[in-house]
Amino acid sequence: MSSKDPASLIRSTNPNDRMQGVKMVARLQNERALRVLLQLAKNDENPEVRAFARKGAKYVAQKMDEAGRLDVDHVETQVKVDAVVDDAPPVDEDYDDEPQGEVEVSQRQIDRAQGYLDEATDHHMAGRNDKAVKAMSKAVETNPNLRLDEYFKSLATSVTGMEGADAIRSLTSSKKRQVLLDANEQKAVSAGLAEHMSEANKHTWGTLGIDLGILSAIVFLGMFFSVLLVNYTGNSWVNRTTGMIEEARANPDIEPEEVDALDILATVVAAVEGIVSIFTLPLALGLAIGTLLMVLASVLANGIFGHLIAQALGGEGTTPYLIYHLVGAYQLPLLILYVLFMIGLILMFIVGMPFTIVGYALGGLGTLVLLVLSLRVIGRINQAYFGLGFGKAYLTQLIAGVPVAIILLIIGGVVGLLINPLVAQALQSIPPELLPAETA
């Protein structure tokens, strides 16, 4: 941006640019300049710029009045000549205690200032201009002669975006420095938001296909083979236990009370055999499809409702980007859950003691995985929205969980109605004498 273009400087989002624009406009000393300065003094969002514009307006009004060109009614201003106390234009403003030449400093001050200057250079090269401004301010405060150093002036121009004395003054004045830091912070926030939204906009409904496909495969295949494994491990346990009962009965040394215990065990085994027969291929398919529908509904509903809530809480993001993060949060924990469940079944019903206790321990570990999943979901919501924060992400998930739960209950009810006939048909394979009297 050219320093010779006051109109562009006045329209800049950087408060320091607008203050430079005020100086340049004040030099014009005409009615149009007075109008612009009064408008800035009244409406600019930055209090430092407003104060600077008021000073410029007073200066222009005084000069116009001295030349006989000030018409208060015509310019619709409340500026009065007798209220003007600033008889120097903003461009010539000096700061208190600013040295006009070299001052005496010790070698220790020179060395310390050089250390601050080196630190500022490193920060500037790394793009951390806010820290560079603070380090340069410390440097020039420690060694005021740096105002006359060409490297310092060049670095000040590069860091502040201003030129000459204005760049130095933005570092030596606490008010100007704060304006500069606020502008840098605003610029960093704007850059961070732009980068975030650029990444978010890469993810559309069309690009979610692969991610949703991977999640669907994990859920469907995991549930399908888990159900079949329940059937297989149940049958293995029944066959092994039945053989043990027959061997015990054939033992001539068995006591009558032991025979009664074996009969009870045989009844239990027969009941388990009937229940295991429920887990047939159609039921495995039904449960796999039902679970898949519920997981996909949870992710999509969480994404849609969560997006609305996150936006209401001040977050910046898109629905596809949120769903992309949610899908990624679900994939690994669900895969771990299915693996733990299958290993636990094998240890408890095929390998048997002493590994049964390990199988139960794996079930407890699955509960921990679910807890981690809930934290991952909240963390991913935080990642998907710029400026949201973990606390608001938790609130987003908490509120969005209500409609998601309602949707899951509806889908679960429908899936249950579809699977019930299969379960009822499978239950018919259980011998009537093993069922309760009212059921038989």
Side-chain angles (χ1 to χ4, degrees):
M1 181 179 296
S2 173
S3 61
K4 297 181 180 180
D5 185 2
S8 298
L9 290 171
I10 290 296
R11 291 193 298 269
S12 172
T13 58
N14 189 326
N16 286 305
D17 289 342
R18 298 201 297 277
M19 292 174 77
Q20 277 192 290
V22 167
K23 295 177 183 180
M24 299 179 69
V25 170
R27 292 194 186 104
L28 301 178
Q29 300 180 11
N30 58 31
E31 180 180 325
R32 181 174 177 81
L34 185 57
R35 286 181 181 275
V36 171
L37 294 174
L38 289 170
Q39 187 71 14
L40 284 172
K42 181 180 179 181
N43 298 323
D44 195 276
E45 62 183 15
N46 188 285
E48 196 73 18
V49 176
R50 291 198 300 270
F52 208 59
R54 282 196 298 272
K55 181 174 182 178
K58 289 180 180 181
Y59 170 77
V60 172
Q62 180 177 346
K63 293 300 181 183
M64 290 180 65
D65 183 68
E66 291 173 355
R69 293 184 287 110
L70 178 64
D71 186 342
V72 175
D73 294 330
H74 181 63
V75 298
E76 299 176 356
T77 177
Q78 295 180 355
V79 175
K80 298 182 181 298
V81 176
D82 55 4
V84 176
V85 296
D86 302 302
D87 52 4
V91 71
D92 295 329
E93 179 181 3
D94 287 326
Y95 293 92
D96 295 338
D97 301 325
E98 179 178 310
Q100 300 302 311
E102 287 195 15
V103 297
E104 184 177 350
V105 293
S106 66
Q107 186 60 44
R108 182 180 179 184
Q109 287 177 287
I110 294 174
D111 294 340
R112 284 184 61 194
Q114 185 60 47
Y116 288 133
L117 186 57
D118 293 341
E119 180 184 340
T121 302
D122 293 339
H123 286 314
H124 180 55
M125 292 180 65
R128 300 185 295 267
N129 274 0
D130 54 337
K131 294 184 178 180
V133 167
K134 294 178 181 179
M136 292 189 72
S137 297
K138 291 179 181 179
V140 73
E141 181 180 347
T142 304
N143 179 11
N145 293 333
L146 285 176
R147 288 183 174 87
L148 309 175
D149 183 83
E150 291 302 322
Y151 175 76
F152 183 85
K153 290 192 286 186
S154 175
L155 183 60
T157 298
S158 182
V159 168
T160 64
M162 305 171 71
E163 296 181 1
D166 291 332
I168 302 297
R169 287 169 178 170
S170 68
L171 299 172
T172 56
S173 166
S174 59
K175 291 183 179 180
K176 290 278 286 180
R177 183 167 61 249
Q178 189 58 49
V179 171
L180 183 62
L181 291 173
D182 291 343
N184 284 339
E185 182 179 358
Q186 182 180 4
K187 187 182 298 183
V189 170
S190 299
L193 176 59
E195 182 179 357
H196 175 83
M197 292 307 298
S198 174
E199 178 64 24
N201 290 328
K202 293 178 182 178
H203 299 274
T204 64
W205 292 105
T207 61
L208 287 175
I210 295 178
D211 301 288
L212 288 172
I214 295 173
L215 178 63
S216 299
I218 292 173
V219 174
F220 181 86
L221 295 177
M223 179 56 68
F224 180 78
F225 287 110
S226 293
V227 173
L228 292 184
L229 186 60
V230 168
N231 183 33
Y232 175 75
T233 55
N235 279 320
S236 298
W237 182 81
V238 167
N239 293 335
R240 187 172 69 250
T241 306
T242 301
M244 292 171 57
I245 292 173
E246 293 302 324
E247 289 179 5
R249 280 177 173 170
N251 187 351
D253 298 328
I254 189 171
E255 298 295 333
E257 57 272 13
E258 294 179 356
V259 173
D260 293 337
L262 289 175
D263 289 339
I264 295 174
L265 182 58
T267 302
V268 172
V269 170
V272 172
E273 185 176 12
I275 295 172
V276 166
S277 67
I278 296 174
F279 298 107
T280 57
L281 184 61
L283 187 59
L285 285 171
L287 287 174
I289 293 173
T291 304
L292 174 60
L293 290 176
M294 294 184 73
V295 170
L296 291 180
S298 177
V299 172
L300 294 175
N302 208 347
I304 294 171
F305 289 107
H307 172 72
L308 297 175
I309 297 166
Q311 276 199 322
L313 294 176
E316 295 282 350
T318 65
T319 305
Y321 193 47
L322 173 59
I323 294 178
Y324 162 76
H325 277 290
L326 292 177
V327 170
Y330 273 83
Q331 285 174 347
L332 183 59
L334 287 181
L335 180 60
I336 293 174
L337 276 176
Y338 284 126
V339 170
L340 290 176
F341 178 71
M342 293 181 185
I343 294 176
L345 280 176
I346 293 172
L347 291 176
M348 286 189 291
F349 295 106
I350 295 181
V351 178
M353 295 297 293
F355 294 100
T356 302
I357 189 64
V358 179
Y360 285 113
L362 291 178
L365 187 58
T367 304
L368 180 60
V369 173
L370 288 175
L371 176 61
V372 172
L373 173 59
S374 66
L375 294 176
R376 279 171 61 88
V377 168
I378 296 172
R380 293 303 179 90
I381 294 174
N382 182 26
Q383 285 181 303
Y385 289 91
F386 185 84
L388 190 63
F390 191 85
K392 290 183 179 179
Y394 175 78
L395 183 60
T396 297
Q397 177 63 10
L398 192 65
I399 300 174
V402 176
V404 171
I406 294 174
I407 292 173
L408 292 183
L409 284 175
I410 295 173
I411 295 177
V414 173
V415 172
L417 291 175
L418 296 176
I419 292 179
N420 276 341
L422 294 174
V423 176
Q425 183 179 4
L427 284 173
Q428 294 177 1
S429 63
I430 301 178
E433 63 271 14
L434 298 179
L435 296 174
E438 59 272 15
T439 304

PDB file of all heavy atoms in Angstrom, residues 298-308 319 322-323 326 385:
ATOM      1  N   SER A 298     -25.929 -41.519  13.815  1.00  0.00           N
ATOM      2  CA  SER A 298     -25.312 -40.783  14.913  1.00  0.00           C
ATOM      3  C   SER A 298     -24.306 -39.765  14.391  1.00  0.00           C
ATOM      4  O   SER A 298     -24.297 -38.604  14.816  1.00  0.00           O
ATOM      5  CB  SER A 298     -24.627 -41.762  15.866  1.00  0.00           C
ATOM      6  OG  SER A 298     -23.960 -41.060  16.892  1.00  0.00           O
ATOM      7  N   VAL A 299     -23.456 -40.189  13.450  1.00  0.00           N
ATOM      8  CA  VAL A 299     -22.434 -39.292  12.914  1.00  0.00           C
ATOM      9  C   VAL A 299     -23.068 -38.139  12.134  1.00  0.00           C
ATOM     10  O   VAL A 299     -22.725 -36.965  12.331  1.00  0.00           O
ATOM     11  CB  VAL A 299     -21.458 -40.076  12.009  1.00  0.00           C
ATOM     12  CG1 VAL A 299     -20.517 -39.118  11.287  1.00  0.00           C
ATOM     13  CG2 VAL A 299     -20.654 -41.062  12.833  1.00  0.00           C
ATOM     14  N   LEU A 300     -24.015 -38.455  11.248  1.00  0.00           N
ATOM     15  CA  LEU A 300     -24.621 -37.418  10.402  1.00  0.00           C
ATOM     16  C   LEU A 300     -25.478 -36.462  11.219  1.00  0.00           C
ATOM     17  O   LEU A 300     -25.413 -35.243  11.038  1.00  0.00           O
ATOM     18  CB  LEU A 300     -25.456 -38.074   9.298  1.00  0.00           C
ATOM     19  CG  LEU A 300     -24.661 -38.896   8.276  1.00  0.00           C
ATOM     20  CD1 LEU A 300     -25.597 -39.596   7.297  1.00  0.00           C
ATOM     21  CD2 LEU A 300     -23.680 -38.011   7.510  1.00  0.00           C
ATOM     22  N   ALA A 301     -26.281 -37.011  12.144  1.00  0.00           N
ATOM     23  CA  ALA A 301     -27.120 -36.141  12.970  1.00  0.00           C
ATOM     24  C   ALA A 301     -26.257 -35.285  13.887  1.00  0.00           C
ATOM     25  O   ALA A 301     -26.536 -34.090  14.086  1.00  0.00           O
ATOM     26  CB  ALA A 301     -28.099 -36.991  13.784  1.00  0.00           C
ATOM     27  N   ASN A 302     -25.210 -35.886  14.440  1.00  0.00           N
ATOM     28  CA  ASN A 302     -24.291 -35.128  15.286  1.00  0.00           C
ATOM     29  C   ASN A 302     -23.641 -34.004  14.491  1.00  0.00           C
ATOM     30  O   ASN A 302     -23.448 -32.890  14.991  1.00  0.00           O
ATOM     31  CB  ASN A 302     -23.222 -36.062  15.845  1.00  0.00           C
ATOM     32  CG  ASN A 302     -22.682 -35.583  17.180  1.00  0.00           C
ATOM     33  OD1 ASN A 302     -22.908 -34.457  17.576  1.00  0.00           O
ATOM     34  ND2 ASN A 302     -21.961 -36.442  17.856  1.00  0.00           N
ATOM     35  N   GLY A 303     -23.307 -34.296  13.237  1.00  0.00           N
ATOM     36  CA  GLY A 303     -22.685 -33.281  12.396  1.00  0.00           C
ATOM     37  C   GLY A 303     -23.632 -32.146  12.065  1.00  0.00           C
ATOM     38  O   GLY A 303     -23.267 -30.963  12.152  1.00  0.00           O
ATOM     39  N   ILE A 304     -24.871 -32.472  11.701  1.00  0.00           N
ATOM     40  CA  ILE A 304     -25.830 -31.440  11.290  1.00  0.00           C
ATOM     41  C   ILE A 304     -26.254 -30.578  12.476  1.00  0.00           C
ATOM     42  O   ILE A 304     -26.182 -29.345  12.426  1.00  0.00           O
ATOM     43  CB  ILE A 304     -27.060 -32.095  10.630  1.00  0.00           C
ATOM     44  CG1 ILE A 304     -26.649 -32.765   9.307  1.00  0.00           C
ATOM     45  CG2 ILE A 304     -28.155 -31.066  10.387  1.00  0.00           C
ATOM     46  CD1 ILE A 304     -27.720 -33.617   8.682  1.00  0.00           C
ATOM     47  N   PHE A 305     -26.679 -31.213  13.571  1.00  0.00           N
ATOM     48  CA  PHE A 305     -27.101 -30.436  14.734  1.00  0.00           C
ATOM     49  C   PHE A 305     -25.901 -29.772  15.411  1.00  0.00           C
ATOM     50  O   PHE A 305     -26.001 -28.630  15.882  1.00  0.00           O
ATOM     51  CB  PHE A 305     -27.838 -31.339  15.733  1.00  0.00           C
ATOM     52  CG  PHE A 305     -29.190 -31.776  15.265  1.00  0.00           C
ATOM     53  CD1 PHE A 305     -29.416 -33.076  14.852  1.00  0.00           C
ATOM     54  CD2 PHE A 305     -30.250 -30.878  15.219  1.00  0.00           C
ATOM     55  CE1 PHE A 305     -30.664 -33.487  14.413  1.00  0.00           C
ATOM     56  CE2 PHE A 305     -31.503 -31.274  14.779  1.00  0.00           C
ATOM     57  CZ  PHE A 305     -31.719 -32.582  14.379  1.00  0.00           C
ATOM     58  N   GLY A 306     -24.783 -30.495  15.462  1.00  0.00           N
ATOM     59  CA  GLY A 306     -23.589 -29.920  16.074  1.00  0.00           C
ATOM     60  C   GLY A 306     -23.111 -28.681  15.343  1.00  0.00           C
ATOM     61  O   GLY A 306     -22.647 -27.721  15.964  1.00  0.00           O
ATOM     62  N   HIS A 307     -23.222 -28.675  14.015  1.00  0.00           N
ATOM     63  CA  HIS A 307     -22.806 -27.512  13.225  1.00  0.00           C
ATOM     64  C   HIS A 307     -23.627 -26.279  13.604  1.00  0.00           C
ATOM     65  O   HIS A 307     -23.072 -25.190  13.793  1.00  0.00           O
ATOM     66  CB  HIS A 307     -22.959 -27.814  11.740  1.00  0.00           C
ATOM     67  CG  HIS A 307     -22.744 -26.626  10.857  1.00  0.00           C
ATOM     68  ND1 HIS A 307     -21.506 -26.069  10.645  1.00  0.00           N
ATOM     69  CD2 HIS A 307     -23.628 -25.865  10.158  1.00  0.00           C
ATOM     70  CE1 HIS A 307     -21.620 -25.017   9.840  1.00  0.00           C
ATOM     71  NE2 HIS A 307     -22.897 -24.873   9.539  1.00  0.00           N
ATOM     72  N   LEU A 308     -24.928 -26.459  13.700  1.00  0.00           N
ATOM     73  CA  LEU A 308     -25.796 -25.329  14.039  1.00  0.00           C
ATOM     74  C   LEU A 308     -25.463 -24.768  15.422  1.00  0.00           C
ATOM     75  O   LEU A 308     -25.410 -23.553  15.622  1.00  0.00           O
ATOM     76  CB  LEU A 308     -27.263 -25.770  13.985  1.00  0.00           C
ATOM     77  CG  LEU A 308     -27.776 -26.228  12.617  1.00  0.00           C
ATOM     78  CD1 LEU A 308     -29.207 -26.744  12.733  1.00  0.00           C
ATOM     79  CD2 LEU A 308     -27.700 -25.091  11.604  1.00  0.00           C
ATOM     80  N   THR A 319     -20.306 -27.956   7.864  1.00  0.00           N
ATOM     81  CA  THR A 319     -20.859 -29.256   8.264  1.00  0.00           C
ATOM     82  C   THR A 319     -20.037 -30.430   7.718  1.00  0.00           C
ATOM     83  O   THR A 319     -19.728 -31.360   8.473  1.00  0.00           O
ATOM     84  CB  THR A 319     -22.321 -29.375   7.799  1.00  0.00           C
ATOM     85  OG1 THR A 319     -23.060 -28.268   8.300  1.00  0.00           O
ATOM     86  CG2 THR A 319     -22.950 -30.652   8.301  1.00  0.00           C
ATOM     87  N   LEU A 322     -16.942 -30.911   9.797  1.00  0.00           N
ATOM     88  CA  LEU A 322     -17.223 -31.488  11.110  1.00  0.00           C
ATOM     89  C   LEU A 322     -17.457 -32.992  10.991  1.00  0.00           C
ATOM     90  O   LEU A 322     -16.931 -33.777  11.784  1.00  0.00           O
ATOM     91  CB  LEU A 322     -18.451 -30.815  11.731  1.00  0.00           C
ATOM     92  CG  LEU A 322     -18.967 -31.430  13.031  1.00  0.00           C
ATOM     93  CD1 LEU A 322     -17.889 -31.427  14.113  1.00  0.00           C
ATOM     94  CD2 LEU A 322     -20.206 -30.696  13.517  1.00  0.00           C
ATOM     95  N   ILE A 323     -18.248 -33.399   9.989  1.00  0.00           N
ATOM     96  CA  ILE A 323     -18.522 -34.831   9.811  1.00  0.00           C
ATOM     97  C   ILE A 323     -17.245 -35.592   9.477  1.00  0.00           C
ATOM     98  O   ILE A 323     -17.034 -36.719   9.939  1.00  0.00           O
ATOM     99  CB  ILE A 323     -19.595 -35.035   8.722  1.00  0.00           C
ATOM    100  CG1 ILE A 323     -20.926 -34.453   9.208  1.00  0.00           C
ATOM    101  CG2 ILE A 323     -19.755 -36.505   8.363  1.00  0.00           C
ATOM    102  CD1 ILE A 323     -22.044 -34.543   8.206  1.00  0.00           C
ATOM    103  N   LEU A 326     -15.642 -36.157  12.734  1.00  0.00           N
ATOM    104  CA  LEU A 326     -16.380 -37.134  13.538  1.00  0.00           C
ATOM    105  C   LEU A 326     -16.143 -38.550  13.032  1.00  0.00           C
ATOM    106  O   LEU A 326     -15.983 -39.486  13.819  1.00  0.00           O
ATOM    107  CB  LEU A 326     -17.875 -36.807  13.515  1.00  0.00           C
ATOM    108  CG  LEU A 326     -18.298 -35.520  14.235  1.00  0.00           C
ATOM    109  CD1 LEU A 326     -19.789 -35.278  14.067  1.00  0.00           C
ATOM    110  CD2 LEU A 326     -17.931 -35.579  15.707  1.00  0.00           C
ATOM    111  N   TYR A 385     -13.906 -26.285  14.297  1.00  0.00           N
ATOM    112  CA  TYR A 385     -14.418 -24.913  14.330  1.00  0.00           C
ATOM    113  C   TYR A 385     -13.381 -23.964  14.901  1.00  0.00           C
ATOM    114  O   TYR A 385     -12.889 -24.153  16.005  1.00  0.00           O
ATOM    115  CB  TYR A 385     -15.711 -24.848  15.158  1.00  0.00           C
ATOM    116  CG  TYR A 385     -16.856 -25.512  14.453  1.00  0.00           C
ATOM    117  CD1 TYR A 385     -17.121 -26.856  14.666  1.00  0.00           C
ATOM    118  CD2 TYR A 385     -17.635 -24.818  13.533  1.00  0.00           C
ATOM    119  CE1 TYR A 385     -18.139 -27.488  13.988  1.00  0.00           C
ATOM    120  CE2 TYR A 385     -18.654 -25.437  12.855  1.00  0.00           C
ATOM    121  CZ  TYR A 385     -18.901 -26.771  13.084  1.00  0.00           C
ATOM    122  OH  TYR A 385     -19.903 -27.390  12.393  1.00  0.00           O
TER     123      TYR A 385
END
